[in-house]
Structure formats: C-alpha cells, structure tokens
Amino acid sequence: MVETIIDDIIRREGSFINHPADRGGPTKYGITAKTLGGWRRLGRAATSDEVAALTEAEAREIYRQQYIVEPGFDAITHPALQALLVDSGVHSDPKTAVHWLQTAVGVAADRVIGPKTLAAIAAADQNKLYSKVLASRVRHLGRLITNDPKQSVFAAGWMNRMAEFVEGTV
C-alpha cells in the first residue's frame, strides 16, 4: 500500500519544476529544496541543481521516512484515509495533516499521532473521518488561493488532485 501511495504522489508531483510562484522553490517529485537540504543535513536548502539531480529512489525514501513513518501515518489502517493523509502531508506539511485528522476525530490537536488519536481513529466511522479530513484540506486550499492570489496559478492542478480523492480513485 505504501509503495502505491508513493507511486501516486510521484505521478501527481511530476519531475523537476522551478515555478516562480511556488513557495517551495525548486522541486522534484514533490520534494522541495528545503526538504532535500534537511534530509541530506546540508544546513541549508538544496540548490536548484541539487534538487534537479534528486533520484526517484531517494525521493521515495524521503517520502517513506518523513511523510509516512515520522508523522505516524503508517499506523493508519484505512487505506484511503492513509493515502489522503500522506498526500496532504506532502502538499501541506505532515503536522498540518495530523492537525486535520485530530480535529476530525475530536481529540486535542497537538499534531502528534499518539495513543489517544489512534484510539479515536479506531472508534470513528472511517468513511466519515475521511470526508472530514478531505473537507479540511479543500478549505485550506481555498484559503491559500484567497490569501495569496499568486497561488491561483496552481488551483486547477490542486482541484484535479482533490478530485482523485473525492472520486475514490486513489
């Protein structure tokens, strides 16, 4: 399941881009210069050339560690919810995705998946939980576009991405 999630993210994110409106700067497979610099312990953001040279294998390892294991998404047993959370973390930061999840299940939103969060998830209707997290994500994207009109250049792509989750094709 994890490999399929990573496959889908890489497909959605594409190869190297350096769009002037992208807050992440140079990006490859969805891995930003800041993320790559942190992963490699460079003490700085990676350069554009370093990002461009990122291999898919390294990107996959970054996704496994920083976007699945570290935030605790590997403990999510509902496949669609897990895919949504990982993709949300890639797009908006894992701690933000955890916040949406905790808010949806009604536990303190400390942005850490612990025993209380896992118990609340287990007790919840998984389909309703999925819908609540997805709604939080869609609202967040709407606020991004409203608060920073430069981000509207990405709106069509974001909505296509969200449509995959609404349709259940993920």
Side-chain angles (χ1 to χ4, degrees), residues 16 18 22-27 31-52 54 58 62 66:
F16 180 77
N18 192 4
D22 190 339
R23 295 176 179 182
T27 304
I31 303 297
T32 65
K34 180 180 176 184
T35 298
L36 183 58
W39 172 259
R40 291 182 176 171
R41 294 179 176 88
L42 299 175
R44 59 171 170 75
T47 66
S48 183
D49 288 342
E50 289 168 331
V51 174
L54 173 68
E58 186 176 16
I62 293 168
Q66 292 188 348

Side-chain angles (χ1 to χ4, degrees), residues 57-95:
E58 186 176 16
R60 287 175 171 280
E61 188 57 28
I62 293 168
Y63 281 132
R64 267 186 225 92
Q65 290 301 315
Q66 292 188 348
Y67 294 89
I68 298 170
V69 174
E70 287 176 17
F73 297 146
D74 55 333
I76 305 300
T77 59
H78 186 273
L81 179 60
Q82 184 184 47
L84 174 61
L85 289 166
V86 173
D87 191 74
S88 297
V90 168
H91 199 232
S92 300
D93 184 66
K95 290 193 178 293

Side-chain angles (χ1 to χ4, degrees), residues 68-140:
I68 298 170
V69 174
E70 287 176 17
F73 297 146
D74 55 333
I76 305 300
T77 59
H78 186 273
L81 179 60
Q82 184 184 47
L84 174 61
L85 289 166
V86 173
D87 191 74
S88 297
V90 168
H91 199 232
S92 300
D93 184 66
K95 290 193 178 293
T96 298
V98 172
H99 175 81
W100 295 334
L101 173 65
Q102 290 175 318
T103 300
V105 294
V107 298
D110 62 3
R111 299 176 183 237
V112 176
I113 295 178
K116 289 181 183 175
T117 300
L118 290 172
I121 292 167
D125 177 313
Q126 300 296 292
N127 292 326
K128 287 182 182 177
L129 181 56
Y130 177 90
S131 293
K132 286 181 178 182
V133 172
L134 181 58
S136 291
R137 185 173 180 190
V138 170
R139 286 185 188 102
H140 171 76

